[in-house]
Amino acid sequence: MQPIWTWTSVDCALRFEKEGKQVSWNLSPSISLGSRGEGAPEPEVRVEIEMDKKLLLTSSNEWHWHKSWNLPTFTVRLQARDPRTGEYLLPPSGLQAQIYAVKTVGESPDEMYLSSVGIRGESVVEMKEHEVSLPLLKFATTSYNNDGSHFRLVVVLYMDVGEDAAQPSILWSRISPPIFVDSRNNHCDSSTKRRGGAIFDAFPPELLSRPFFKRKCVEGVSNEVAIGSDLTGLVNFFTAPNIRQKCRHPLFLVLRFPQALSLYYNSEKVSSSEVRFSLVDYLTIDKDARFLEELHDAMPVSYTHLTLPTIYSV
């Protein structure tokens, strides 16, 4: 069953930086719109948030978005109705609508707070009418840059009480479901990503024995430089303009450039024999050893005897 995007109430603190200083707001509502005259009932207040498009859902039913994409346009509607006459009232002067991108910090409820991770665009607007829109906003960072944390969006309606006030008067606040924010448009499913890296696509083993050259033109003369297995070769591989769609798989890089890179594994969780047989299974794919025979003469690593000196245990 797919989750439903729901804005929920929020009553914890929001911390962010303003003009080089750390600011903390309690997001619990602290004011009402007030009544129209002595003895009159308070207005009936209803706030709605509308989005012009939905965020992405991964196969694991997690909300997901890309840092480089514009967020949906958020339309905030405030309906304040006089319960006696049914008349709709204009918002009070100075009422602001603002949206924040945040992450949750702290384990226990007593220590938990929301920390702003930044949002790009005009994220605050005065509510001079019944509704305002907040378009063209983007996340300022990614979940990867924040230890894999999911972000949330917080919408706050508050009274502007001046620059010197430590705490504005909060009328209403809501928080979104958690969102995983990525920076790569070609990886739309965050279920393939976890903290510390991503799952890479397989590469054809024949890439390991294929000769690579860096072609460059100096004063109108074109020449080729053979790409070796050392650090210089690694740099030339990534800077060669003629090599398109470069393979960045860690296993390819450590086997193709053994004089520049080494591969480590946790010996407490996996044995050396498991690592070696897993590599052979990966390289042969269909248990056909023709790739091993081709690689034996081309590479400084003996696959036939399963001796991989670039692999170390830790």
Side-chain angles (χ1 to χ4, degrees):
M1 182 178 179
Q2 290 189 347
I4 299 175
W5 182 273
T6 305
W7 296 91
T8 56
S9 58
V10 54
D11 57 4
C12 61
L14 167 66
R15 298 183 185 179
F16 58 95
E17 187 173 304
K18 184 177 182 181
E19 298 178 355
K21 298 180 180 179
Q22 286 294 323
V23 179
S24 180
W25 288 1
N26 187 330
L27 295 181
S28 300
S30 58
I31 60 169
S32 62
L33 291 184
S35 61
R36 306 183 71 188
E38 185 177 351
E42 292 188 357
E44 299 172 351
V45 177
R46 181 180 179 183
V47 182
E48 297 177 345
I49 305 173
E50 182 180 289
M51 300 159 58
D52 66 345
K53 57 185 174 185
K54 295 181 179 180
L55 272 69
L56 302 179
L57 262 180
T58 69
S59 57
S60 57
N61 285 336
E62 291 182 343
W63 297 106
H64 178 248
W65 203 245
H66 296 300
K67 173 189 169 185
S68 60
W69 289 358
N70 286 331
L71 284 161
T73 295
F74 299 93
T75 300
V76 182
R77 294 189 179 90
L78 171 64
Q79 296 180 344
R81 178 176 174 273
D82 189 323
R84 297 174 304 176
T85 64
E87 178 186 2
Y88 284 97
L89 313 175
L90 286 174
S93 176
L95 184 64
Q96 308 289 317
Q98 187 161 0
I99 188 166
Y100 294 89
V102 302
K103 64 179 180 180
T104 303
V105 179
E107 299 295 335
S108 66
D110 295 336
E111 300 174 346
M112 191 174 298
Y113 64 91
L114 303 175
S115 176
S116 173
V117 295
I119 197 165
R120 293 176 178 172
E122 295 296 326
S123 60
V124 58
V125 62
E126 183 177 358
M127 292 205 67
K128 296 181 179 180
E129 301 293 339
H130 294 293
E131 72 175 46
V132 293
S133 294
L134 295 162
L136 304 176
L137 300 176
K138 293 181 179 180
F139 287 107
T141 185
T142 65
S143 295
Y144 289 122
N145 292 333
N146 289 267
D147 299 322
S149 299
H150 286 67
F151 297 163
R152 294 172 182 262
L153 297 169
V154 174
V155 177
V156 187
L157 300 186
Y158 63 91
M159 293 296 297
D160 187 0
V161 291
E163 293 290 333
D164 298 331
Q167 168 72 43
S169 301
I170 306 295
L171 173 66
W172 183 90
S173 62
R174 289 294 186 273
I175 191 169
S176 76
I179 310 161
F180 191 90
V181 180
D182 191 10
S183 62
R184 297 184 179 182
N185 292 348
N186 60 336
H187 292 111
C188 293
D189 191 343
S190 67
S191 65
T192 63
K193 300 182 179 67
R194 291 298 180 262
R195 298 184 183 184
I199 295 176
F200 293 84
D201 291 334
F203 65 90
E206 58 264 29
L207 278 182
L208 294 170
S209 58
R210 177 186 300 172
F212 289 104
F213 297 89
K214 180 178 181 179
R215 297 189 180 94
K216 56 183 180 180
C217 185
V218 179
E219 298 181 352
V221 179
S222 178
N223 61 4
E224 290 185 346
V225 176
I227 293 178
S229 59
D230 57 4
L231 182 58
T232 301
L234 178 65
V235 174
N236 285 338
F237 175 76
F238 280 112
T239 58
N242 56 292
I243 303 177
R244 304 187 183 280
Q245 297 181 343
K246 299 175 176 66
C247 179
R248 291 173 169 80
H249 196 292
L251 184 55
F252 166 79
L253 296 176
V254 79
L255 293 175
R256 184 61 180 78
F257 304 98
Q259 299 178 44
L261 300 172
S262 297
L263 180 66
Y264 291 82
Y265 66 94
N266 190 337
S267 59
E268 295 181 355
K269 295 185 177 181
V270 62
S271 68
S272 60
S273 60
E274 289 177 311
V275 172
R276 297 173 195 279
F277 280 109
S278 295
L279 291 176
V280 172
D281 285 343
Y282 182 91
L283 292 171
T284 56
I285 301 175
D286 59 356
K287 304 300 184 297
D288 188 338
R290 67 183 184 277
F291 290 131
L292 302 182
E293 297 172 358
E294 295 172 359
L295 292 172
H296 184 270
D297 295 331
M299 299 296 297
V301 178
S302 175
Y303 297 94
T304 54
H305 295 90
L306 305 181
T307 56
L308 301 175
T310 55
I311 299 177
Y312 304 95
S313 65
V314 294

